[in-house]
């Protein structure tokens, strides 16, 4: 058993905060458990709640190297695990024409011609590593089978080289937007964390941390408006990143308080659909500005 | 709780989750125990998160989990030591509640919920006086013992909804310079706090009752089921709101499932001409076979739904779902009926931006009945065939939504047979349990002889059916 990264849940909160990530109890507890139990952590949630950011903060808080595997439709072993460098192998064979076949064969299938992809890189790394497998739901079902093998035993078999076992277990973080149900087998091997939009208090802290110049009362009302917008059943709810963008915009505009005029003119920063815009304006009573006759 | 009792408690807890439809295997239970072992029991919030991360696998399960967790790992035993003096009567409690709601003071709200249940929630022991004004003296008779704590009774006495105006006034005095935006925000905030207070009272009443009557019993009927498993015909309006929220994510999930199936179906037949053409590059040896591009068939969909009474909620949900899936079809046309059939395609597509009042708009703007609100299947199917037979064709799939209860009228099997003859597929989705088909005025079994009929009682069944039925 290797040395755990964290001593207690509070330490997780503290060190993540040091890396610029404010973690809720849920996040801190699951991260702590994932580290202690040596299990991968599956983070699921809507876009823009800081799933990828968590991995980045973890890496910088623990001084680990971040290895990222971005999943997409059609990703396969040669993109995720390893590949032989064919061009270089051919070059080597043509360069040594008069060599014996036996010798050449042994040579071209050696470390030198292996191109490690993220999974193999993470497993072979002797230093602490955070392996981020991003948007797992975008990959095909076959890819999940491969992940099962790698995440189950933390070892990879390359037929020509033999089995490579992890020198040091990486901290594995999988993210998913839940566009597809991941297989039960994969979920069973992971700890599950559903990451939702943060509580108003936490979001205010995040915004003030990221945009230091922002006035405290302005931050309060900003978080309040964003929270109200998220409850509205919009096509695209504003994410944390968008609240931060909005805070920056307000700062640039020099607004000192949030009134109808300011919200109306800068709403485009957080809402990206026309229908959402109309809806928000109606619900937040911004339209009264345009029509002063109404009560 | 002693440490020895913990494994037993954990197993009971997992058992309760399974009964509520959350599949938890023994492997997960072992993980949960390992997590507890690492964390200890000192911090209840951490314990909750630790158990959630080890036993849950899906995000929709959290509500059920939280309720069951509160029963099996309660905050405290007995009445809660509330902050400050407990209020003596309902007026004092409501005054305190207004102040707490206006400030959004979480701890105070929790204490008030607890003392509210303590004061007004007990039922079954009128003899045990001194507690506020729980007005059920008649029901329980001569000094019978305490049989439970009722959230319903507490909320009936406190009536937090009626406090909205007072809370708003209090918030306005606290921040007088707010414009209409500030007021709109304050109103939302007040509403959500009141809803939060209701939930606290319910959780508190469950906890107290569980102490009294055994937690297995309470867990089996007092914890609301997951949204996915709520039956359409008995859902409350809050549950429908929760269901509507799932339409978008569900449709996305279904669309990926459908399109991945389509992609798989594309593998197969070899395109000989292109393979030969390609083989010229490798000296006539067909190294890389070219596959024929199959044009993905985008079927036309016709949804024909009963909008009467209890079936309306189901129909409305399904309409919204098919609308959200519209890019999977070349064309969707929707029809509604009660006593007559009318086309509602334009109403449904307008309903995308504003799904709340869809049913009401359909009933007021479309001509779905001659008189009354009881469904007439015979007349409705007949008028559909008469007026819109041309929408059916060899590429059309028809979904009929309804319980097939004809109010003892003529089921008009002939009309359904004509629909089935003209369309490519007809499926009937029935929100009633299969064992009730054909009972009373239900003609479900007679319709089922003509077209395949499927039981479709909750979102889980519906989404399963949608992926199975829709042709690729």
């Amino acid at each position: 058993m290797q040395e755990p990264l964290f001593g207690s849940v509070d330490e997780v909160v503290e060190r993540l905060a040091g890396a610029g990530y404010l973690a809720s109890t849920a996040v801190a507890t699951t991260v702590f458990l994932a580290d202690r139990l040596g299990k991968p952590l599956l983070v699921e949630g809507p876009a823009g709640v800081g799933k990828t950011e968590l991995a980045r903060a973890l890496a910088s808080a623990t001084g680990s190297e971040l290895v990222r595997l971005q999943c997409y439709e059609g990703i396969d072993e040669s993109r995720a695990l390893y590949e032989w460098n064919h061009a270089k192998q051919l070059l080597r064979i043509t360069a040594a024409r008069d060599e014996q076949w036996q010798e050449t064969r042994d040579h071209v299938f050696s470390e030198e011609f292996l191109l490690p992809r993220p999974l193999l890189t993470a497993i072979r790394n002797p230093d602490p590593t955070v392996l981020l497998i991003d948007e797992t739901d975008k990959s095909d079902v076959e890819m999940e089978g491969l992940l099962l093998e790698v995440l189950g035993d933390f070892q990879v078999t390359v037929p020509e080289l033999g089995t490579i076992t992890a020198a040091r277990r990486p901290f594995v973080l999988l993210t998913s937007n839940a566009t597809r149900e991941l297989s039960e087998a994969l979920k069973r091997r992971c700890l599950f964390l559903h990451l939702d939009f943060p509580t108003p208090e936490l979001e205010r802290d995040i915004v003030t941390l990221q945009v230091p110049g922002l006035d405290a009362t302005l931050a309060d009302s900003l978080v309040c408006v964003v929270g109200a917008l998220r409850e509205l059943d919009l096509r695209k709810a504003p994410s944390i990143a968008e609240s931060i963008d909005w805070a920056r915009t307000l700062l640039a505009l020099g607004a000192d308080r949030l009134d109808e005029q300011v919200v109306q003119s800068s709403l485009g920063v957080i809402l990206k659909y026309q229908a959402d815009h109309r809806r928000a304006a109606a619900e937040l009573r911004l339209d009264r500005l345009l029509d002063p006759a109404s009560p | 709780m002693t440490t020895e009792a913990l494994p037993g408690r954990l197993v009971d807890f997992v058992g309760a989750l399974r009964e509520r439809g959350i599949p938890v295997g023994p492997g997960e239970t072992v993980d949960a125990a390992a997590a507890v072992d690492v964390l200890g029991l000192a911090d209840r919030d951490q314990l909750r998160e630790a158990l959630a991360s080890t036993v849950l696998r899906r995000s929709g399960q959290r509500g059920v989990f939280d309720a069951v967790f509160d029963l099996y790992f309660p905050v405290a035993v007995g009445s809660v030591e509330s902050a400050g003096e407990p209020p003596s009567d309902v007026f004092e409690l409501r005054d305190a509640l207004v102040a707490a709601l206006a400030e959004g003071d979480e701890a105070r709200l929790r204490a008030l919920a607890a003392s509210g249940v303590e004061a007004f929630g007990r039922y079954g022991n009128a003899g045990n006086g001194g507690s506020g004004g729980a007005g059920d003296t008649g029901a329980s008779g001569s000094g019978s013992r305490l049989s439970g704590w009722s959230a319903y009774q507490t909320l009936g006495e406190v009536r937090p909804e009626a406090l909205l105006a007072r809370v708003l006034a209090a918030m306005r005095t606290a921040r007088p310079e707010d414009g209409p935006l500030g007021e709109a925000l304050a109103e939302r905030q007040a509403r959500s706090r009141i809803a939060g207070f209701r939930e606290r009272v319910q959780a508190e009443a469950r906890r107290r009752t569980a102490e009294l009557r055994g937690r297995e019993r309470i867990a089996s009927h007092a914890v609301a089921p997951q949204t996915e498993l709520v039956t359409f015909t008995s859902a409350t309006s809050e549950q429908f709101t929760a269901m509507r929220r799932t339409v978008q994510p569900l449709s996305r999930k279904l669309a990926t499932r459908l399109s991945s199936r389509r992609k798989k179906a594309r593998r197969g037949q070899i395109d000989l001409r292109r393979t030969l053409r390609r083989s010229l590059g490798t000296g006539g040896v067909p190294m890389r076979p070219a596959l024929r591009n199959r044009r993905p068939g985008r079927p036309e969909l016709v949804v024909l739904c009963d909008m009467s009474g209890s079936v309306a909620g189901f129909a409305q949900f399904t309409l919204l779902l098919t609308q959200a899936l519209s890019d999977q079809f070349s064309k969707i046309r929707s029809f509604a009926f009660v006593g007559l059939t009318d086309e509602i395609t334009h109403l449904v597509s307008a309903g995308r931006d504003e799904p709340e009042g869809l049913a009401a708009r359909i009933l007021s703007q479309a001509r779905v009945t001659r008189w009354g609100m009881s469904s007439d299947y015979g007349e409705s199917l007949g008028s559909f065939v008469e007026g819109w037979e041309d929408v059916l064709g060899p590429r059309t799939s028809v979904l009929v939504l309804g319980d097939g209860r004809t109010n003892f009228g003529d089921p008009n099997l002939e009309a359904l047979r004509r629909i089935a003859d003209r369309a490519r597929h007809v499926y009937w989705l029935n929100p009633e349990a299969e064992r009730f088909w054909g009972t009373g005025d239900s003609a479900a079994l007679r319709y089922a002889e003509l077209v395949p009929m499927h039981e479709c009682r909750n979102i889980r069944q519906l989404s399963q059916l949608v992926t199975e039925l829709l042709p690729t």
Side-chain angles (χ1 to χ4, degrees):
Chain A
M1 207 53 207
Q2 65 200 36
E3 192 77 354
L5 295 169
F6 298 102
S8 71
V9 177
D10 296 331
E11 194 191 325
V12 178
V13 175
E14 213 171 282
R15 283 168 67 181
L16 283 181
Y21 187 95
L22 300 179
S24 60
T25 319
V27 172
T29 312
T30 20
V31 164
F32 175 72
L33 282 177
D35 172 37
R36 277 303 171 92
L37 304 178
K39 290 190 126 201
L41 176 55
L42 170 64
V43 190
E44 199 176 271
V49 292
K51 300 187 290 291
T52 310
E53 199 51 45
L54 173 61
R56 221 169 268 143
L58 261 174
S60 89
T62 55
S64 320
E65 192 181 329
L66 179 67
V67 178
R68 177 170 176 168
L69 173 63
Q70 176 73 44
C71 291
Y72 50 87
E73 237 173 276
I75 187 172
D76 59 357
E77 261 186 344
S78 61
R79 292 283 142 203
L81 203 51
Y82 70 90
E83 199 175 13
W84 289 107
N85 191 343
H86 292 301
K88 202 171 171 192
Q89 280 174 329
L90 278 179
L91 216 61
R92 166 75 177 75
I93 293 169
T94 36
R97 274 187 182 278
D98 45 349
E99 208 174 76
Q100 288 297 305
W101 160 241
Q102 186 76 33
E103 222 172 293
T104 319
R105 189 192 60 192
D106 287 347
H107 202 109
V108 292
F109 286 114
S110 63
E111 284 289 318
E112 195 189 340
F113 300 94
L114 192 69
L115 290 177
R117 301 295 184 200
L119 288 181
L120 187 60
T121 315
I123 280 183
R124 284 207 303 191
N125 195 354
D127 301 318
T129 318
V130 172
L131 170 61
L132 167 65
I133 304 177
D134 218 356
E135 309 198 335
T136 318
D137 51 335
K138 295 255 173 69
S139 66
D140 305 317
V141 183
E142 292 79 8
M143 181 66 194
E144 274 181 42
L146 178 72
L147 284 181
L148 282 185
E149 188 193 339
V150 174
L151 300 184
D153 306 329
F154 288 99
Q155 62 180 30
V156 172
T157 307
V158 182
E160 293 84 357
L161 290 181
T163 303
I164 302 172
T165 314
R168 192 191 155 94
R169 282 191 165 212
F171 188 105
V172 186
L173 213 128
L174 298 97
T175 75
S176 158
N177 283 329
T179 54
R180 171 171 79 81
E181 203 72 67
L182 298 177
S183 72
E184 283 296 319
L186 182 64
K187 284 187 167 183
R188 250 205 327 274
R189 279 168 180 74
C190 303
L191 292 181
F192 179 79
L193 171 66
H194 178 74
L195 208 56
D196 219 328
F197 293 117
T199 57
E201 294 80 38
L202 186 59
E203 182 157 28
R204 190 191 52 221
D205 293 346
I206 294 172
V207 168
T208 26
L209 184 75
Q210 300 288 336
V211 189
L214 199 67
D215 182 50
T217 44
L218 187 58
D220 265 339
S221 34
L222 178 143
V223 166
C224 197
V225 173
V226 171
L229 287 176
R230 281 184 195 143
E231 275 175 21
L232 278 184
D233 243 344
L234 299 174
R235 281 179 71 183
K236 163 83 179 69
S239 65
I240 299 181
E242 278 156 336
S243 343
I244 293 172
D245 281 349
W246 199 29
R248 293 219 173 95
T249 313
L250 292 178
L251 201 62
L253 286 175
D256 52 348
R257 58 186 288 264
L258 213 51
D259 57 16
E260 296 79 27
Q261 199 85 55
V262 176
V263 174
Q264 179 80 299
S265 59
S266 59
L267 207 55
V269 181
I270 39 174
L271 297 182
K272 306 292 162 71
Y273 287 98
Q274 192 56 39
D276 286 359
H277 232 122
R278 271 202 303 277
R279 181 122 203 223
E283 292 279 340
L284 298 180
R285 302 179 199 166
L286 300 176
D287 44 356
R288 293 195 180 179
L289 269 187
L290 310 172
D291 183 15
S294 69
Chain B
M1 189 186 336
T2 59
T3 331
E4 291 83 63
L6 190 62
R9 174 72 60 102
L10 208 53
V11 169
D12 288 348
F13 172 65
V14 166
L17 285 178
R18 281 189 201 131
E19 262 168 41
R20 310 302 303 164
I22 299 180
V24 186
E28 276 104 344
T29 319
V30 172
D31 284 347
V36 175
D37 190 38
V38 171
L39 271 179
L41 295 168
D43 189 325
R44 183 162 174 271
D45 280 338
Q46 287 181 9
L47 179 67
R48 181 196 294 266
E49 298 304 338
L51 291 182
S53 71
T54 44
V55 302
L56 293 187
R57 292 290 169 263
R58 220 165 264 115
S59 37
Q61 300 168 337
R62 189 60 199 244
V64 173
F65 172 87
D66 277 342
V68 175
F69 181 85
D70 284 338
L71 287 180
Y72 280 78
F73 300 92
V75 193
V77 176
S79 57
V80 172
E81 298 286 325
S82 49
E85 280 286 292
S88 59
D89 63 0
V90 68
F91 301 107
E92 201 172 308
L93 179 72
R94 295 185 78 196
D95 289 343
L97 190 56
V98 168
L101 284 171
E103 278 166 34
D105 182 349
E106 294 286 320
R108 184 89 191 108
L109 281 175
R110 199 171 305 128
L112 282 172
S115 53
V117 171
E118 170 88 40
F120 312 114
R122 64 177 65 201
Y123 63 92
N125 67 330
N128 191 4
S131 57
D136 61 342
T137 1
S140 49
S142 56
S144 60
R145 50 187 265 284
L146 178 65
S147 55
W149 301 87
S150 155
Y152 180 75
Q153 200 173 300
T154 314
L155 291 171
E157 201 70 32
V158 180
R159 286 181 292 122
E161 275 78 9
L163 294 176
L164 182 65
R166 287 175 64 190
V167 175
L168 284 178
M171 287 169 104
R172 210 171 295 137
T173 40
R175 279 179 313 193
E177 77 282 6
D178 277 355
L181 169 69
E183 271 172 39
L185 287 178
E187 192 176 329
R188 295 202 146 262
Q189 223 167 22
R191 277 184 202 284
S192 76
R193 277 179 199 159
I194 288 175
F197 178 75
R198 282 189 80 91
E199 267 162 36
R200 286 223 177 90
V201 168
Q202 277 156 1
E204 174 71 11
R206 267 203 303 269
R207 181 183 74 80
R208 298 292 299 268
T209 313
E211 259 167 33
L212 208 62
R213 315 243 299 253
R215 60 181 80 80
E216 284 79 10
R217 213 179 124 77
I218 300 306
S220 71
H221 65 259
V223 177
Q226 305 172 52
T227 315
E228 223 185 34
L229 294 179
V230 174
T231 51
F232 288 119
T233 43
S234 66
T236 61
S237 65
E238 285 105 58
Q239 282 169 330
F240 268 122
T241 318
M243 282 185 188
R244 265 203 307 271
R245 277 174 200 276
T246 63
V247 166
Q248 283 303 331
L250 185 64
S251 68
R252 219 161 13 119
K253 221 173 266 183
L254 292 179
T256 359
R257 220 182 285 172
L258 287 174
S259 76
S260 83
R261 201 168 55 177
R262 237 175 239 148
K263 216 172 297 156
K264 237 174 242 160
R266 196 158 56 211
R267 295 177 198 152
Q269 278 189 312
I270 286 187
D271 187 336
L272 206 59
R273 201 182 58 79
R274 277 176 51 223
T275 309
L276 281 179
R277 180 87 180 73
R278 222 182 245 186
S279 73
L280 294 181
T282 45
V285 184
M287 299 280 277
R288 289 181 304 133
L291 297 178
R292 183 165 295 164
N293 275 338
R294 214 187 294 166
R295 196 153 295 162
R298 298 206 180 253
E300 287 170 19
L301 187 69
V302 170
V303 187
L304 182 61
C305 52
D306 184 353
M307 289 305 291
S308 68
S310 59
V311 198
F314 165 58
Q316 192 183 348
F317 181 81
T318 314
L319 283 174
L320 289 173
L321 185 65
T322 48
Q323 172 63 33
L325 278 171
S326 60
D327 51 348
Q328 297 293 313
F329 302 97
S330 60
K331 196 191 276 176
I332 297 188
R333 295 185 72 169
S334 322
F335 298 86
F337 65 86
V338 175
L340 276 178
T341 307
D342 196 5
E343 175 151 14
I344 51 164
T345 311
H346 57 289
L347 292 175
V348 178
S349 43
R352 185 178 202 150
D353 291 335
E354 205 186 331
E356 290 90 20
L358 181 61
R361 257 177 293 139
I362 289 172
L363 290 179
S364 63
Q365 293 179 28
R367 190 161 182 269
V368 289
T369 179
R370 279 207 182 91
W371 55 74
M373 277 308 291
S374 56
S375 45
D376 180 348
Y377 276 74
E379 187 75 8
S380 304
L381 291 173
S383 60
F384 174 69
V385 172
E386 255 167 54
W388 289 278
E389 199 173 12
D390 54 316
V391 306
L392 304 174
R395 278 162 49 78
T396 327
S397 296
V398 181
L399 288 183
V400 187
L401 316 174
D403 54 5
R405 294 203 172 266
T406 57
N407 294 309
F408 300 105
D410 168 29
N412 200 348
L413 298 173
E414 191 45 44
L416 186 63
R417 195 171 291 131
R418 274 183 62 189
I419 297 175
D421 283 346
R422 287 199 59 131
R424 182 168 180 191
H425 303 282
V426 179
Y427 304 103
W428 191 303
L429 307 186
N430 193 332
E432 267 194 332
E434 198 163 348
R435 62 178 187 280
F436 295 124
W437 296 0
T439 59
D441 61 344
S442 167
L445 291 178
R446 294 173 70 191
Y447 286 130
E449 284 168 15
L450 296 178
V451 299
M453 187 176 278
H454 301 273
E455 180 192 271
C456 184
R457 295 172 60 200
N458 49 40
I459 295 185
R460 189 179 284 179
Q461 278 180 335
L462 179 65
S463 49
Q464 235 163 26
L465 282 171
V466 168
T467 34
E468 272 169 31
L469 298 185
L470 294 181
T472 45

